[in-house]
Amino acid sequence: MTLGIYLYGIFPEAVSENVILEGLDKQTVKNYSLDGFNFLYSEAKQKKYLASRRNLLCHEKVLEEAMSQGFRTHLPLRFGLVVKTWDTVNEQLLVPYKEQLEALFQKLDGRREVSVKVLWNSQEEIQALLETNPELRQKRDAMEGKTLKMEEVIDIGQMIEKGLQIRKETIIQTFQDELNSLAEEVLENNTMTEEMIYNTAYLIPWDSESIFSEKVESIDQKFSDRLRIRYNNFTAPYTFAQLS
């Protein structure tokens, strides 16, 4: 039984029937053209889809496989979007936002989104901070085994926190200096964990990705084993396909 239409993304041209895609619930993904816009969709078998890892990956895989088949320019739709009819899509999306959607197609044409997430080990950074700051280490060592007053605890804690912040800002500045000039747009996102210190998306020319990735590799080597860098060079452009 069909419970509606599950939407994956919008394309400026029809995705060929030769591109075989499997969507949620193992349903065949099809193309539907509406007022010059082309939607990848499948029949919805559930009223609401759980945002499980499997479902999220399936949603993303549909878009990434379309990209790999040459349909690079597109506007990814958020996970779990189920509508009853195509009239709903037209009335709630195309009619009010048609010009914005067309502008986004132009913005993304010939470009790709890549992302860099940087993580460090905060405990190792504290040890490195103490090793490079004898005065701070001596003050910390002098407190060991003593019953400290609250202001003493706060004082040493603030000194360590300030030192860590400086080390973090130095790393972030390196990524900004090396990478920002290679991108047409840069958007720094919130970090997702305590160990993550940098989380940024870049909009770059499609064919310049190899240059960008080489620069990321160069930064990685510069910091040796201090950082864990997660670089995603092939993803749907969620960050830069936002309606205002």
Side-chain angles (χ1 to χ4, degrees), residues 121-174:
N121 186 310
S122 57
Q123 293 304 311
E124 290 181 359
E125 289 295 323
I126 290 174
Q127 292 303 315
L129 172 65
L130 295 174
E131 290 173 5
T132 57
N133 191 325
E135 182 180 350
L136 179 58
R137 181 177 60 186
Q138 184 176 12
K139 187 171 184 177
R140 196 282 308 266
D141 291 345
M143 292 181 173
E144 290 186 352
K146 295 182 179 180
T147 301
L148 302 178
K149 297 179 180 179
M150 180 59 68
E151 55 266 27
E152 292 177 314
V153 175
I154 293 174
D155 182 52
I156 189 67
Q158 289 178 337
M159 293 177 66
I160 291 175
E161 183 178 353
K162 182 178 179 180
L164 283 179
Q165 184 62 32
I166 292 173
R167 294 173 70 85
K168 180 186 298 184
E169 290 174 355
T170 299
I171 293 172
I172 292 173
Q173 190 64 54
T174 299

Side-chain angles (χ1 to χ4, degrees), residues 53-72:
R53 174 178 170 80
R54 176 184 296 179
N55 286 343
L56 290 169
L57 288 176
C58 180
H59 181 98
E60 293 175 7
K61 185 179 179 181
V62 167
L63 297 172
E64 290 173 4
E65 287 188 357
M67 290 169 62
S68 70
Q69 294 294 321
F71 297 89
R72 296 172 174 177

